[in-house]
Amino acid sequence: MKRRTLAIAAVTAVTLALAAPPASATTTARPATAAPAVAALAAPDVQVSNVQAHLAQFQSIATSNGGNRRAGSAGYTASVAYVKSKLQAAGYTVTEQTCTSCTYQGNNVIAEWPQGPTTDVVMFGAHLDGVSAGPAINDNGSGSSVLLENALVLAQQNPTMTKRVRFAWWNGEEQGLQGSKFYVNSLSATQKGYIKGYYNFDMVSSTNGGYFINRLTSTTAAPLKAYWDSLGLSPEENVEGQGRSDDYSFQQAGIPTSGYAMGASARKTSAQASKWGGTANSAYDPCYHSSCDTSNNVNATGLNRNADGVAYAIWALAVGGGTPTNDFSVAVSPTAGGVVRGGSTTATVSTATTSGSAQTVALSASGAPSGVTVSFSPSSVTSGGSATMTVSASSSASLGSFTLTVTGTGSATRTASYTVTVTGTGSCTGGQVVGNGGFESGATVWTATSGVITNSSSQPARTGSYKAWLNGNGSTSTDTLSQSVTVPAGCSSYALAFYLHIDTTERTTTVAYDKLVVQIGSTTLATYSNLNKATGYTLRSFDVGAYAGQTVTLKFTGTEDASLQTSFVIDDVTLQAS
């Protein structure tokens, strides 16, 4: 959740039918005064352990990518890839929408369950980005994980749908709700009219949290409130969160909104502590926007109640009765593997009957590069069975990493992804392949803007006397630094590393005015900015095994706006293959 508070506009209510919450999800007895809900097809119990597994993945992604999942970072890109792969494998229609107006350009993930009328949509969203201070597990890995597991449960259950369900994971929320604003602004008036309600989930596992609902007394909020009322929680209005999360973008467009939250930096009152437990006069989330917002910063009970409440709302709003159609799922294990030219590797393709009766599923694969073939034994299975997938590479197969789409075709089409990395034959030559990585030989090997490779004492080198100093002019400028590198084939490890010092006179803590883009071949590895300023040098490292056996260009591009300097100082660049 972002810090800045915005004004709230009135929204239009939408009439919603309520379904009874599942008894298995009730952890507190229903109070005698609770209003009875209208009976309907019972919602499933969403397993909190599965939600926690997604949180563990987001923690791992942050740990592997500089400790955060901030928009525009490698951690955010990896988070998008994780969510998208899970949704595609479950059968969702998934779109990545690039937010071109975001401070940190990145993608919204929009996933639609392909059943129900397209003109009658209920939408559930959470922001996927975090702040740079830490892994952003409660804010907002929690909301992102709750929605992801609910999406997977909906696909697995495959009920008859009375409305279309759309899920969204937003870029750039922490910079001012930018991703959701971009999405809403991209819709026509007709498309906005199709969305009958938008539900937002931001910080739903706060360790000292409360139970808050956006626009608590609105008709839109009714299913969310009905579920928490059934647990005796007596939820309150989300006063702290008004205008501070992505529901505001929809509300401003006249779309009815609501959502769950458990609180950020505001303090729990004595009355709330008496009602919900926890510590009075302490923040709902003591780790809000801090480095301690890790997988240890999770209220499992609150996470479970939020996850089940979302399922209850989905079933109440969009699920009808009747017998589900025959359907199945497809999964690949492991999800990635390597193969040398002239060799092969195998993986297991598993299927399961997710609704209705078992059926025959034909297996195929697409996306293989030149010289790579994929076969299945057997080529078709009865759902619930498995097959061996063999990926073979010829002596001239294309080198690099490639994503294969494994498809099962029956009464429906279901897919899963597998990443194969093709390397050359022979032993790994290994070693360090970047020339003059410490810049002590001046501009030798490197191609650079004049003056970039320097021994100026104004910005000291990390080691020796020379380094590469991009920008730092305090005026509009672009500096580049590059060299061609040949990445050997046949190695098991390819580590690109460099030390980066960022010094700036920019005073903002939210806007990236000056940027450094790091690329290898056609891949952007990372983007840094004045927001990443730090004393001393910081080690940055990346796995570039996708370029094994190729000659590619390693490039650094620094851009600076018209005022207030930012210096990007690079030293000790290596690409170690082993």
Side-chain angles (χ1 to χ4, degrees):
M1 184 170 73
K2 74 182 188 68
R3 292 183 184 276
R4 184 165 59 91
T5 302
L6 304 174
I8 295 295
V11 298
T12 304
V14 59
T15 301
L16 306 169
L18 302 184
S24 60
T26 301
T27 59
T28 305
R30 182 191 296 268
T33 56
V38 178
L41 188 65
D45 180 16
V46 177
Q47 298 300 304
V48 71
S49 59
N50 293 341
V51 181
Q52 291 171 312
H54 299 314
L55 288 176
Q57 288 296 319
F58 288 134
Q59 175 69 63
S60 178
I61 287 169
T63 301
S64 301
N65 292 279
N68 69 78
R69 299 185 304 104
R70 191 212 67 200
S73 70
Y76 181 78
T77 301
S79 298
V80 167
Y82 174 72
V83 170
K84 182 180 180 181
S85 66
K86 290 288 187 181
L87 294 166
Q88 286 183 319
Y92 278 83
T93 302
V94 184
T95 302
E96 287 192 55
Q97 180 193 47
T98 302
C99 178
T100 57
S101 61
C102 286
T103 300
Y104 302 109
Q105 190 171 116
N107 292 350
N108 296 324
V109 180
I110 312 297
E112 192 152 310
W113 186 239
Q115 293 189 35
T118 58
T119 57
D120 205 357
V121 177
V122 285
M123 194 164 180
F124 298 80
H127 72 89
L128 186 57
D129 67 316
V131 295
S132 59
I137 297 304
N138 184 38
D139 186 16
N140 185 36
S142 62
S144 296
S145 297
V146 160
L147 286 196
L148 178 57
E149 186 58 25
N150 264 278
L152 299 182
V153 168
L154 178 64
Q156 190 276 328
Q157 295 279 320
N158 191 29
T160 301
M161 306 301 295
T162 59
K163 288 186 175 65
R164 181 68 58 111
V165 174
R166 185 179 302 158
F167 294 93
W169 288 262
W170 305 117
N171 178 66
E173 190 270 358
E174 297 291 359
Q175 288 73 50
L177 320 182
Q178 294 176 346
S180 56
K181 287 179 184 176
F182 184 84
Y183 173 80
V184 172
N185 289 338
S186 73
L187 301 176
S188 67
T190 299
Q191 290 170 326
K192 292 174 185 175
Y194 291 158
I195 303 174
K196 309 308 180 185
Y198 171 80
Y199 294 84
N200 196 67
F201 303 91
D202 193 351
M203 303 183 68
V204 294
S205 68
S206 304
T207 53
N208 192 43
Y211 293 90
F212 302 108
I213 296 178
N214 303 342
R215 285 152 292 283
L216 177 67
T217 59
S218 68
T219 306
T220 314
L224 300 183
K225 184 176 184 298
Y227 183 76
W228 277 1
D229 281 348
S230 77
L231 304 182
L233 295 175
S234 300
E236 297 180 5
E237 177 64 44
N238 184 18
V239 176
E240 180 190 19
Q242 289 180 1
R244 294 177 59 183
S245 197
D246 296 295
D247 54 307
Y248 187 72
S249 300
F250 288 80
Q251 184 182 338
Q252 290 294 91
I255 296 170
T257 64
S258 189
Y260 281 150
M262 293 193 72
S265 59
R267 295 180 180 272
K268 179 174 279 187
T269 67
S270 297
Q272 291 170 340
S274 177
K275 178 169 59 171
W276 295 321
T279 305
N281 202 35
S282 293
Y284 298 120
D285 180 5
C287 290
Y288 174 61
H289 281 191
S290 300
S291 59
C292 61
D293 189 10
T294 67
S295 54
N296 294 322
N297 187 45
V298 173
N299 177 342
T301 299
L303 192 69
N304 188 37
R305 289 167 170 172
N306 276 276
D308 287 338
V310 172
Y312 176 65
I314 292 172
W315 257 250
L317 297 168
V319 173
T323 303
T325 57
N326 295 340
D327 206 355
F328 62 93
S329 63
V330 173
V332 182
S333 179
T335 57
V339 59
V340 298
R341 281 176 167 173
S344 63
T345 189
T346 62
T348 299
V349 179
S350 301
T351 64
T353 302
T354 58
S355 64
S357 303
Q359 60 184 288
T360 299
V361 178
L363 300 173
S364 61
S366 58
S370 175
V372 172
T373 58
V374 184
S375 61
F376 299 89
S377 180
S379 59
S380 64
V381 298
T382 300
S383 56
S386 62
T388 298
M389 179 177 73
T390 301
V391 181
S392 303
S394 70
S395 59
S396 60
S398 298
L399 299 174
S401 291
F402 307 91
T403 299
L404 307 181
T405 299
V406 179
T407 301
T409 303
S411 61
T413 298
R414 300 288 177 248
T415 62
S417 296
Y418 178 83
T419 300
V420 60
T421 299
V422 183
T423 57
T425 57
S427 60
C428 168
T429 57
Q432 208 290 94
V433 300
V434 172
N436 188 27
F439 305 103
E440 297 306 310
S441 299
T444 303
V445 182
W446 294 96
T447 299
T449 303
S450 177
V452 162
I453 298 176
T454 176
N455 63 352
S456 168
S457 60
S458 298
Q459 289 285 354
R462 176 179 175 271
T463 58
S465 301
Y466 282 81
K467 68 280 171 181
W469 180 359
L470 287 76
N471 307 112
N473 303 303
S475 59
T476 303
S477 64
T478 299
D479 285 340
T480 60
L481 171 73
S482 65
Q483 74 166 263
S484 177
V485 294
T486 298
V487 186
C491 300
S492 59
S493 174
Y494 298 88
L496 170 68
F498 58 90
Y499 286 86
L500 175 63
H501 169 56
I502 301 177
D503 172 73
T504 185
T505 56
E506 297 282 5
R507 294 179 291 273
T508 179
T509 59
T510 59
V511 182
Y513 289 114
D514 311 316
K515 298 180 182 180
L516 175 72
V517 178
V518 185
Q519 297 171 286
I520 186 166
S522 59
T523 300
T524 296
L525 298 175
T527 301
Y528 305 101
S529 74
N530 49 281
L531 299 178
N532 303 115
K533 66 180 179 180
T535 57
Y537 283 86
T538 301
L539 177 63
R540 309 290 185 175
S541 58
F542 305 89
D543 179 3
V544 294
Y547 289 93
Q550 302 181 49
T551 298
V552 292
T553 298
L554 171 63
K555 186 176 183 180
F556 302 85
T557 304
T559 56
E560 194 172 17
D561 72 349
S563 64
L564 299 178
Q565 73 85 25
T566 298
S567 296
F568 300 102
V569 189
I570 301 166
D571 205 354
D572 299 325
V573 185
T574 60
L575 199 168
Q576 188 74 36
S578 61

